[in-house]
Amino acid sequence: MGATKSARQALGRIVTVLFVWLTCAPFSLADEHKSLSSLIFITEEYPPYNYLANQQLNGISIELLETIFEATNTPLSRHDIRYYPWVRGYELALNQPNTVLFSTTRTPAREPNFQWVGPIAQDQVVLLAHHDSPLAIDSIAQAIERGLTVTVIREDIGAQALREASYPDHLILPAIDNRSALHMLMRGRVDLWAYSADVAAWIVESEGYPKNSLIPIHTLSESSLYFAINQATDHRLVVLMQEALDRVKMEHPHR
């Protein structure tokens, strides 16, 4: 009887340990996976927010993300961020779980396609004309009526804004990237460029053109820039990242 009692007590202890482990395991595993290091971060050429200089990523958004890494004890840095053309990055963020694309303009059309963390900053998308051009319009309808050609970057917010305004396809000329779009406008191959006013100004100077080479003639949208996260990504990671961003902004209000 003594041996049987001891065996039962030992078995009871084992059952208790297993019960505790099974009860706590889901939470432990959840915490284990609740790490931003499981995410793939993708950015593009969108200065002054994110851009490549001397083979290193720089910009407001890059610095902000590194601060988020620090706040969440994530063992990543700017060297782990992937740098792709906008169209490729956008397609990956749409279709590949655990992918984060930034800086991305948050719009009603894009809203259901991603989970969002932000805002990072405010951005104004405009129709830009060459400074020497006599162009002036009061509306998109007027630009269509006059048959003005516009260069855009595919899937960029400027392209989406024109599509939503039913701008004719034959008047829209896609460019490979923002520098190509700038050169198309400067060389007279198109009448206008649909792009961020701040980013275009930065590109103009970096390409050696006079600061006032372009003038905005019509505002397409005023929106906020965000981190766009693939819809299939664990929502707990999105919450973790948003909480870290909020904390960073509270502690460093000028970032």
Side-chain angles (χ1 to χ4, degrees):
M1 288 290 292
T4 304
K5 185 177 180 182
S6 297
R8 285 177 179 170
Q9 288 175 338
L11 180 60
R13 284 195 295 271
I14 292 171
V15 170
T16 302
V17 170
L18 281 172
F19 176 78
V20 171
W21 186 87
L22 288 170
T23 305
C24 298
F27 296 99
S28 299
L29 291 172
D31 289 341
E32 212 173 280
H33 291 292
K34 197 177 177 184
S35 166
L36 300 187
S37 58
S38 63
L39 300 177
I40 297 167
F41 293 88
I42 297 175
T43 195
E44 57 132 1
E45 174 85 355
Y46 204 65
Y49 305 106
N50 25 267
Y51 60 96
L52 199 62
N54 300 318
Q55 300 303 308
Q56 179 169 291
L57 285 170
N58 290 282
I60 298 166
S61 300
I62 301 295
E63 292 173 5
L64 183 61
L65 182 56
E66 280 199 320
T67 309
I68 290 172
F69 289 156
E70 292 172 14
T72 55
N73 295 314
T74 301
L76 297 177
S77 72
R78 68 184 64 198
H79 303 294
D80 299 294
I81 301 169
R82 302 183 186 185
Y83 183 76
Y84 292 148
W86 171 254
V87 176
R88 184 182 177 193
Y90 191 81
E91 290 298 321
L92 284 171
L94 270 177
N95 301 303
Q96 184 171 301
N98 299 327
T99 304
V100 182
L101 177 67
F102 69 100
S103 302
T104 306
T105 305
R106 187 173 183 174
T107 67
R110 288 175 174 172
E111 185 69 32
N113 298 330
F114 301 98
Q115 300 186 70
W116 302 90
V117 169
I120 297 171
Q122 294 295 117
D123 195 32
Q124 185 181 55
V125 178
V126 299
L127 287 176
L128 295 152
H130 192 288
H131 183 268
D132 297 332
S133 168
L135 289 176
I137 58 170
D138 297 321
S139 64
I140 289 289
Q142 194 175 65
I144 296 172
E145 185 182 327
R146 294 173 61 178
L148 300 180
T149 54
V150 188
T151 187
V152 300
I153 298 163
R154 193 160 59 89
E155 297 303 337
D156 177 71
I157 183 60
Q160 292 188 350
L162 291 182
R163 188 163 60 240
E164 289 168 11
S166 301
Y167 211 88
D169 289 341
H170 71 278
L171 295 178
I172 299 175
L173 284 76
I176 298 171
D177 55 32
N178 48 29
R179 295 175 193 277
S180 298
L182 171 64
H183 294 311
M184 287 173 69
L185 181 59
M186 296 300 289
R187 292 167 186 167
R189 290 179 53 198
V190 292
D191 299 307
L192 301 167
W193 178 19
Y195 205 52
S196 162
D198 290 340
V199 180
W202 198 97
I203 297 293
V204 163
E205 286 197 76
S206 71
E207 289 295 290
Y209 291 107
K211 197 172 184 178
N212 64 344
S213 294
L214 303 183
I215 53 171
I217 65 168
H218 182 73
T219 299
L220 292 172
S221 69
E222 292 186 72
S223 309
S224 296
L225 298 174
Y226 278 72
F227 295 97
I229 305 173
N230 178 271
Q231 273 287 21
T233 304
D234 188 338
H235 184 64
R236 289 171 296 183
L237 295 177
V238 179
V239 172
L240 175 66
M241 193 170 169
Q242 183 66 62
E243 288 175 348
L245 174 61
D246 292 341
R247 194 160 64 248
V248 165
K249 284 188 170 183
M250 196 178 346
E251 294 171 358
H252 308 278
H254 299 298
R255 286 204 174 204

CSV table of all heavy atoms in Angstrom, one decimal, residues 132-184:
chain,number,residue,atom,x,y,z
A,132,ASP,N,8.6,76.7,-66.2
A,132,ASP,CA,8.4,77.5,-67.3
A,132,ASP,C,7.2,77.2,-68.1
A,132,ASP,O,6.9,77.9,-69.1
A,132,ASP,CB,9.6,77.3,-68.3
A,132,ASP,CG,10.9,77.7,-67.6
A,132,ASP,OD1,10.9,78.6,-66.7
A,132,ASP,OD2,12.0,77.2,-68.0
A,133,SER,N,6.4,76.3,-67.7
A,133,SER,CA,5.1,76.0,-68.4
A,133,SER,C,4.0,77.0,-68.0
A,133,SER,O,3.9,77.3,-66.8
A,133,SER,CB,4.7,74.5,-68.0
A,133,SER,OG,3.4,74.3,-68.4
A,134,PRO,N,3.2,77.3,-69.0
A,134,PRO,CA,2.1,78.3,-68.7
A,134,PRO,C,0.9,77.6,-68.2
A,134,PRO,O,-0.2,78.2,-68.0
A,134,PRO,CB,1.8,78.9,-70.1
A,134,PRO,CG,2.2,77.8,-71.0
A,134,PRO,CD,3.3,77.0,-70.4
A,135,LEU,N,1.0,76.3,-67.8
A,135,LEU,CA,-0.2,75.5,-67.4
A,135,LEU,C,-0.8,76.0,-66.1
A,135,LEU,O,-0.1,76.3,-65.2
A,135,LEU,CB,0.2,74.0,-67.2
A,135,LEU,CG,0.4,73.2,-68.5
A,135,LEU,CD1,0.9,71.8,-68.2
A,135,LEU,CD2,-0.8,73.2,-69.4
A,136,ALA,N,-2.1,76.0,-66.1
A,136,ALA,CA,-2.9,76.3,-64.9
A,136,ALA,C,-4.3,75.7,-65.1
A,136,ALA,O,-4.9,75.8,-66.1
A,136,ALA,CB,-3.1,77.8,-64.7
A,137,ILE,N,-4.7,74.9,-64.0
A,137,ILE,CA,-6.0,74.3,-64.1
A,137,ILE,C,-6.7,74.5,-62.8
A,137,ILE,O,-6.1,74.7,-61.7
A,137,ILE,CB,-5.8,72.8,-64.4
A,137,ILE,CG1,-5.0,72.1,-63.3
A,137,ILE,CG2,-5.3,72.5,-65.7
A,137,ILE,CD1,-5.0,70.6,-63.3
A,138,ASP,N,-8.0,74.4,-62.9
A,138,ASP,CA,-8.9,74.6,-61.7
A,138,ASP,C,-9.4,73.2,-61.2
A,138,ASP,O,-9.8,73.1,-60.0
A,138,ASP,CB,-10.1,75.5,-62.0
A,138,ASP,CG,-9.7,76.9,-62.4
A,138,ASP,OD1,-8.7,77.4,-61.8
A,138,ASP,OD2,-10.3,77.4,-63.3
A,139,SER,N,-9.3,72.2,-62.0
A,139,SER,CA,-9.8,70.9,-61.6
A,139,SER,C,-9.2,69.8,-62.4
A,139,SER,O,-8.6,70.0,-63.5
A,139,SER,CB,-11.3,70.9,-61.7
A,139,SER,OG,-11.7,71.0,-63.1
A,140,ILE,N,-9.4,68.5,-62.0
A,140,ILE,CA,-9.0,67.4,-62.8
A,140,ILE,C,-9.8,67.3,-64.1
A,140,ILE,O,-9.2,67.0,-65.1
A,140,ILE,CB,-9.2,66.1,-62.0
A,140,ILE,CG1,-8.3,66.0,-60.8
A,140,ILE,CG2,-9.1,64.8,-62.9
A,140,ILE,CD1,-6.8,65.7,-61.2
A,141,ALA,N,-11.0,67.6,-64.0
A,141,ALA,CA,-11.9,67.6,-65.2
A,141,ALA,C,-11.3,68.6,-66.3
A,141,ALA,O,-11.3,68.2,-67.5
A,141,ALA,CB,-13.3,68.1,-64.9
A,142,GLN,N,-10.8,69.7,-65.9
A,142,GLN,CA,-10.2,70.6,-66.8
A,142,GLN,C,-8.9,70.0,-67.4
A,142,GLN,O,-8.6,70.2,-68.6
A,142,GLN,CB,-9.9,72.0,-66.1
A,142,GLN,CG,-9.5,73.1,-67.1
A,142,GLN,CD,-9.4,74.4,-66.3
A,142,GLN,OE1,-8.4,74.6,-65.6
A,142,GLN,NE2,-10.3,75.4,-66.6
A,143,ALA,N,-8.1,69.3,-66.6
A,143,ALA,CA,-6.9,68.7,-67.2
A,143,ALA,C,-7.2,67.6,-68.2
A,143,ALA,O,-6.6,67.5,-69.2
A,143,ALA,CB,-6.1,68.1,-66.0
A,144,ILE,N,-8.3,66.9,-67.9
A,144,ILE,CA,-8.8,65.9,-68.9
A,144,ILE,C,-9.3,66.5,-70.2
A,144,ILE,O,-8.9,66.1,-71.3
A,144,ILE,CB,-9.9,65.0,-68.3
A,144,ILE,CG1,-9.4,64.2,-67.0
A,144,ILE,CG2,-10.5,64.1,-69.3
A,144,ILE,CD1,-10.4,63.5,-66.3
A,145,GLU,N,-10.0,67.6,-70.0
A,145,GLU,CA,-10.6,68.3,-71.1
A,145,GLU,C,-9.5,68.8,-72.1
A,145,GLU,O,-9.6,68.8,-73.3
A,145,GLU,CB,-11.5,69.4,-70.6
A,145,GLU,CG,-12.2,70.2,-71.7
A,145,GLU,CD,-13.0,71.4,-71.1
A,145,GLU,OE1,-13.5,71.2,-70.0
A,145,GLU,OE2,-13.2,72.4,-71.8
A,146,ARG,N,-8.4,69.3,-71.5
A,146,ARG,CA,-7.3,69.8,-72.2
A,146,ARG,C,-6.3,68.8,-72.7
A,146,ARG,O,-5.4,69.0,-73.4
A,146,ARG,CB,-6.5,70.9,-71.4
A,146,ARG,CG,-7.4,72.1,-71.1
A,146,ARG,CD,-6.7,73.0,-70.1
A,146,ARG,NE,-5.5,73.5,-70.6
A,146,ARG,CZ,-4.7,74.4,-69.9
A,146,ARG,NH1,-5.1,74.8,-68.7
A,146,ARG,NH2,-3.6,74.8,-70.5
A,147,GLY,N,-6.6,67.5,-72.3
A,147,GLY,CA,-5.8,66.4,-72.8
A,147,GLY,C,-4.3,66.4,-72.3
A,147,GLY,O,-3.4,66.0,-73.0
A,148,LEU,N,-4.2,66.8,-71.0
A,148,LEU,CA,-2.8,66.9,-70.5
A,148,LEU,C,-2.3,65.5,-70.1
A,148,LEU,O,-3.0,64.8,-69.4
A,148,LEU,CB,-2.9,67.8,-69.2
A,148,LEU,CG,-3.3,69.3,-69.5
A,148,LEU,CD1,-3.3,70.1,-68.1
A,148,LEU,CD2,-2.4,70.0,-70.5
A,149,THR,N,-1.1,65.2,-70.5
A,149,THR,CA,-0.5,63.9,-70.2
A,149,THR,C,0.2,64.0,-68.8
A,149,THR,O,0.8,65.0,-68.4
A,149,THR,CB,0.5,63.5,-71.2
A,149,THR,OG1,1.5,64.6,-71.4
A,149,THR,CG2,-0.1,63.2,-72.5
A,150,VAL,N,0.1,62.9,-68.0
A,150,VAL,CA,0.6,62.9,-66.7
A,150,VAL,C,1.5,61.6,-66.5
A,150,VAL,O,1.1,60.5,-66.8
A,150,VAL,CB,-0.5,62.9,-65.6
A,150,VAL,CG1,0.0,63.0,-64.2
A,150,VAL,CG2,-1.6,63.9,-65.9
A,151,THR,N,2.7,61.8,-65.9
A,151,THR,CA,3.5,60.7,-65.6
A,151,THR,C,3.2,60.3,-64.1
A,151,THR,O,3.0,61.1,-63.3
A,151,THR,CB,5.0,60.9,-65.8
A,151,THR,OG1,5.7,59.7,-65.6
A,151,THR,CG2,5.5,62.0,-64.9
A,152,VAL,N,3.2,59.0,-63.9
A,152,VAL,CA,3.0,58.4,-62.6
A,152,VAL,C,3.9,57.2,-62.4
A,152,VAL,O,4.5,56.7,-63.3
A,152,VAL,CB,1.5,57.9,-62.4
A,152,VAL,CG1,0.5,59.1,-62.6
A,152,VAL,CG2,1.2,56.8,-63.4
A,153,ILE,N,4.0,56.8,-61.1
A,153,ILE,CA,4.6,55.5,-60.8
A,153,ILE,C,3.5,54.5,-60.5
A,153,ILE,O,2.7,54.8,-59.6
A,153,ILE,CB,5.6,55.7,-59.6
A,153,ILE,CG1,6.7,56.7,-60.0
A,153,ILE,CG2,6.2,54.3,-59.2
A,153,ILE,CD1,7.4,57.2,-58.8
A,154,ARG,N,3.5,53.4,-61.1
A,154,ARG,CA,2.4,52.4,-61.0
A,154,ARG,C,2.2,52.0,-59.6
A,154,ARG,O,3.1,51.7,-58.8
A,154,ARG,CB,2.8,51.2,-61.9
A,154,ARG,CG,1.6,50.2,-62.1
A,154,ARG,CD,1.8,49.3,-63.2
A,154,ARG,NE,3.0,48.5,-63.1
A,154,ARG,CZ,3.0,47.3,-62.5
A,154,ARG,NH1,1.9,46.8,-62.0
A,154,ARG,NH2,4.1,46.6,-62.4
A,155,GLU,N,0.9,52.0,-59.2
A,155,GLU,CA,0.5,51.7,-57.8
A,155,GLU,C,0.8,52.7,-56.8
A,155,GLU,O,0.6,52.6,-55.6
A,155,GLU,CB,1.0,50.3,-57.3
A,155,GLU,CG,0.5,49.1,-58.2
A,155,GLU,CD,-1.0,49.0,-58.3
A,155,GLU,OE1,-1.7,49.6,-57.4
A,155,GLU,OE2,-1.5,48.5,-59.2
A,156,ASP,N,1.5,53.8,-57.2
A,156,ASP,CA,1.7,54.9,-56.3
A,156,ASP,C,0.4,55.7,-56.0
A,156,ASP,O,-0.5,55.6,-56.8
A,156,ASP,CB,2.8,55.9,-56.9
A,156,ASP,CG,3.1,57.1,-56.1
A,156,ASP,OD1,3.7,56.9,-55.0
A,156,ASP,OD2,2.7,58.2,-56.5
A,157,ILE,N,0.4,56.5,-55.0
A,157,ILE,CA,-0.8,57.2,-54.6
A,157,ILE,C,-1.2,58.2,-55.7
A,157,ILE,O,-2.4,58.4,-55.9
A,157,ILE,CB,-0.6,57.9,-53.2
A,157,ILE,CG1,-1.9,58.6,-52.8
A,157,ILE,CG2,0.6,58.9,-53.3
A,157,ILE,CD1,-3.1,57.7,-52.6
A,158,GLY,N,-0.3,58.8,-56.4
A,158,GLY,CA,-0.6,59.7,-57.5
A,158,GLY,C,-1.4,58.9,-58.6
A,158,GLY,O,-2.4,59.4,-59.1
A,159,ALA,N,-0.9,57.8,-58.9
A,159,ALA,CA,-1.6,56.9,-60.0
A,159,ALA,C,-3.0,56.5,-59.5
A,159,ALA,O,-3.9,56.6,-60.3
A,159,ALA,CB,-0.7,55.7,-60.3
A,160,GLN,N,-3.1,56.1,-58.3
A,160,GLN,CA,-4.4,55.7,-57.7
A,160,GLN,C,-5.4,56.9,-57.7
A,160,GLN,O,-6.6,56.7,-58.0
A,160,GLN,CB,-4.2,55.1,-56.4
A,160,GLN,CG,-3.5,53.8,-56.4
A,160,GLN,CD,-3.5,53.0,-55.1
A,160,GLN,OE1,-3.9,53.6,-54.1
A,160,GLN,NE2,-3.0,51.8,-55.1
A,161,ALA,N,-4.9,58.1,-57.3
A,161,ALA,CA,-5.8,59.3,-57.3
A,161,ALA,C,-6.3,59.6,-58.7
A,161,ALA,O,-7.5,59.9,-58.8
A,161,ALA,CB,-5.0,60.4,-56.7
A,162,LEU,N,-5.5,59.5,-59.7
A,162,LEU,CA,-5.9,59.7,-61.1
A,162,LEU,C,-6.9,58.7,-61.5
A,162,LEU,O,-7.9,59.0,-62.2
A,162,LEU,CB,-4.7,59.8,-62.0
A,162,LEU,CG,-3.8,61.0,-61.9
A,162,LEU,CD1,-2.7,60.9,-62.9
A,162,LEU,CD2,-4.5,62.3,-62.0
A,163,ARG,N,-6.6,57.4,-61.2
A,163,ARG,CA,-7.6,56.3,-61.6
A,163,ARG,C,-8.9,56.6,-60.9
A,163,ARG,O,-10.0,56.4,-61.6
A,163,ARG,CB,-7.0,55.0,-61.1
A,163,ARG,CG,-7.7,53.8,-61.6
A,163,ARG,CD,-6.9,52.5,-61.6
A,163,ARG,NE,-6.5,52.2,-60.2
A,163,ARG,CZ,-5.2,52.1,-59.8
A,163,ARG,NH1,-4.3,52.3,-60.7
A,163,ARG,NH2,-5.0,51.7,-58.6
A,164,GLU,N,-8.9,57.0,-59.6
A,164,GLU,CA,-10.2,57.2,-58.9
A,164,GLU,C,-10.9,58.4,-59.6
A,164,GLU,O,-12.2,58.5,-59.5
A,164,GLU,CB,-9.9,57.4,-57.5
A,164,GLU,CG,-9.5,56.2,-56.7
A,164,GLU,CD,-9.0,56.4,-55.3
A,164,GLU,OE1,-9.2,57.6,-54.8
A,164,GLU,OE2,-8.4,55.5,-54.7
A,165,ALA,N,-10.2,59.3,-60.2
A,165,ALA,CA,-10.8,60.5,-60.8
A,165,ALA,C,-11.2,60.2,-62.3
A,165,ALA,O,-11.6,61.1,-63.0
A,165,ALA,CB,-9.9,61.7,-60.7
A,166,SER,N,-11.0,58.9,-62.7
A,166,SER,CA,-11.4,58.5,-64.0
A,166,SER,C,-10.5,59.2,-65.1
A,166,SER,O,-11.0,59.5,-66.2
A,166,SER,CB,-12.9,58.7,-64.3
A,166,SER,OG,-13.7,58.0,-63.4
A,167,TYR,N,-9.3,59.5,-64.8
A,167,TYR,CA,-8.4,60.1,-65.7
A,167,TYR,C,-8.1,59.1,-66.9
A,167,TYR,O,-7.8,57.9,-66.6
A,167,TYR,CB,-7.0,60.5,-65.1
A,167,TYR,CG,-6.4,61.7,-65.7
A,167,TYR,CD1,-6.7,63.0,-65.2
A,167,TYR,CD2,-5.5,61.6,-66.8
A,167,TYR,CE1,-6.2,64.1,-65.8
A,167,TYR,CE2,-4.9,62.7,-67.3
A,167,TYR,CZ,-5.3,64.0,-66.8
A,167,TYR,OH,-4.7,65.1,-67.4
A,168,PRO,N,-8.2,59.5,-68.1
A,168,PRO,CA,-8.1,58.5,-69.3
A,168,PRO,C,-6.7,57.8,-69.3
A,168,PRO,O,-5.7,58.5,-69.1
A,168,PRO,CB,-8.3,59.4,-70.5
A,168,PRO,CG,-9.0,60.6,-70.0
A,168,PRO,CD,-8.6,60.8,-68.6
A,169,ASP,N,-6.8,56.5,-69.5
A,169,ASP,CA,-5.5,55.7,-69.5
A,169,ASP,C,-4.5,56.2,-70.6
A,169,ASP,O,-3.3,56.2,-70.3
A,169,ASP,CB,-5.9,54.3,-69.8
A,169,ASP,CG,-6.5,53.6,-68.6
A,169,ASP,OD1,-6.5,54.1,-67.5
A,169,ASP,OD2,-7.2,52.6,-68.8
A,170,HIS,N,-5.0,56.7,-71.7
A,170,HIS,CA,-4.1,57.1,-72.8
A,170,HIS,C,-3.3,58.4,-72.4
A,170,HIS,O,-2.4,58.7,-73.1
A,170,HIS,CB,-4.8,57.2,-74.1
A,170,HIS,CG,-5.7,58.4,-74.2
A,170,HIS,ND1,-7.0,58.4,-73.7
A,170,HIS,CD2,-5.5,59.7,-74.7
A,170,HIS,CE1,-7.6,59.6,-73.9
A,170,HIS,NE2,-6.7,60.4,-74.5
A,171,LEU,N,-3.8,59.1,-71.4
A,171,LEU,CA,-3.1,60.3,-71.0
A,171,LEU,C,-2.2,60.1,-69.8
A,171,LEU,O,-1.5,61.0,-69.3
A,171,LEU,CB,-4.1,61.4,-70.6
A,171,LEU,CG,-5.0,61.9,-71.7
A,171,LEU,CD1,-6.0,62.9,-71.1
A,171,LEU,CD2,-4.2,62.6,-72.8
A,172,ILE,N,-2.1,58.8,-69.3
A,172,ILE,CA,-1.2,58.5,-68.2
A,172,ILE,C,0.0,57.7,-68.7
A,172,ILE,O,-0.2,56.6,-69.3
A,172,ILE,CB,-2.0,57.7,-67.1
A,172,ILE,CG1,-3.2,58.5,-66.6
A,172,ILE,CG2,-1.1,57.3,-66.0
A,172,ILE,CD1,-4.1,57.8,-65.6
A,173,LEU,N,1.2,58.2,-68.4
A,173,LEU,CA,2.4,57.5,-68.8
A,173,LEU,C,3.2,57.0,-67.6
A,173,LEU,O,3.8,57.9,-66.9
A,173,LEU,CB,3.3,58.5,-69.7
A,173,LEU,CG,2.8,58.7,-71.1
A,173,LEU,CD1,1.6,59.6,-71.1
A,173,LEU,CD2,3.9,59.2,-71.9
A,174,PRO,N,3.2,55.8,-67.3
A,174,PRO,CA,3.9,55.2,-66.1
A,174,PRO,C,5.4,55.4,-66.3
A,174,PRO,O,6.0,55.3,-67.4
A,174,PRO,CB,3.6,53.8,-66.1
A,174,PRO,CG,2.3,53.7,-66.9
A,174,PRO,CD,2.4,54.7,-68.0
A,175,ALA,N,6.1,55.7,-65.2
A,175,ALA,CA,7.6,55.8,-65.2
A,175,ALA,C,8.1,54.7,-64.3
A,175,ALA,O,7.4,54.2,-63.4
A,175,ALA,CB,8.0,57.2,-64.6
A,176,ILE,N,9.4,54.3,-64.5
A,176,ILE,CA,10.0,53.3,-63.7
A,176,ILE,C,10.1,53.6,-62.3
A,176,ILE,O,9.9,52.9,-61.4
A,176,ILE,CB,11.4,52.9,-64.3
A,176,ILE,CG1,11.2,52.4,-65.7
A,176,ILE,CG2,12.1,51.9,-63.4
A,176,ILE,CD1,12.5,52.2,-66.5
A,177,ASP,N,10.6,54.9,-62.0
A,177,ASP,CA,10.7,55.4,-60.7
A,177,ASP,C,10.6,56.9,-60.6
A,177,ASP,O,10.3,57.5,-61.7
A,177,ASP,CB,12.1,54.9,-60.1
A,177,ASP,CG,13.3,55.4,-61.0
A,177,ASP,OD1,13.2,56.4,-61.6
A,177,ASP,OD2,14.3,54.6,-61.0
A,178,ASN,N,10.8,57.5,-59.5
A,178,ASN,CA,10.5,59.0,-59.4
A,178,ASN,C,11.5,59.8,-60.1
A,178,ASN,O,11.2,60.9,-60.7
A,178,ASN,CB,10.4,59.4,-57.9
A,178,ASN,CG,11.6,58.9,-57.1
A,178,ASN,OD1,12.7,58.6,-57.5
A,178,ASN,ND2,11.3,58.7,-55.8
A,179,ARG,N,12.8,59.3,-60.3
A,179,ARG,CA,13.8,60.1,-61.0
A,179,ARG,C,13.5,60.1,-62.5
A,179,ARG,O,13.6,61.1,-63.2
A,179,ARG,CB,15.2,59.6,-60.7
A,179,ARG,CG,15.6,59.8,-59.3
A,179,ARG,CD,16.9,59.2,-58.9
A,179,ARG,NE,17.1,59.2,-57.4
A,179,ARG,CZ,17.5,60.2,-56.7
A,179,ARG,NH1,17.8,61.3,-57.3
A,179,ARG,NH2,17.6,60.1,-55.4
A,180,SER,N,13.0,58.9,-63.0
A,180,SER,CA,12.6,58.8,-64.4
A,180,SER,C,11.4,59.7,-64.7
A,180,SER,O,11.3,60.4,-65.7
A,180,SER,CB,12.2,57.4,-64.7
A,180,SER,OG,13.3,56.5,-64.6
A,181,ALA,N,10.5,59.8,-63.7
A,181,ALA,CA,9.3,60.6,-63.9
A,181,ALA,C,9.7,62.1,-63.9
A,181,ALA,O,9.2,62.9,-64.8
A,181,ALA,CB,8.3,60.4,-62.7
A,182,LEU,N,10.6,62.5,-63.1
A,182,LEU,CA,11.1,63.9,-63.1
A,182,LEU,C,11.8,64.2,-64.4
A,182,LEU,O,11.5,65.2,-65.0
A,182,LEU,CB,12.2,64.1,-62.0
A,182,LEU,CG,13.0,65.4,-62.0
A,182,LEU,CD1,12.0,66.6,-61.8
A,182,LEU,CD2,14.1,65.4,-61.0
A,183,HIS,N,12.6,63.3,-65.0
A,183,HIS,CA,13.3,63.6,-66.2
A,183,HIS,C,12.3,63.6,-67.4
A,183,HIS,O,12.4,64.4,-68.3
A,183,HIS,CB,14.3,62.5,-66.5
A,183,HIS,CG,15.5,62.6,-65.5
A,183,HIS,ND1,16.1,63.8,-65.2
A,183,HIS,CD2,16.1,61.6,-64.8
A,183,HIS,CE1,17.1,63.5,-64.4
A,183,HIS,NE2,17.1,62.2,-64.1
A,184,MET,N,11.2,62.8,-67.3
A,184,MET,CA,10.2,62.9,-68.4
A,184,MET,C,9.5,64.2,-68.4
A,184,MET,O,9.2,64.8,-69.5
A,184,MET,CB,9.1,61.8,-68.1
A,184,MET,CG,9.6,60.4,-68.4
A,184,MET,SD,8.4,59.1,-67.9
A,184,MET,CE,7.1,59.4,-69.1
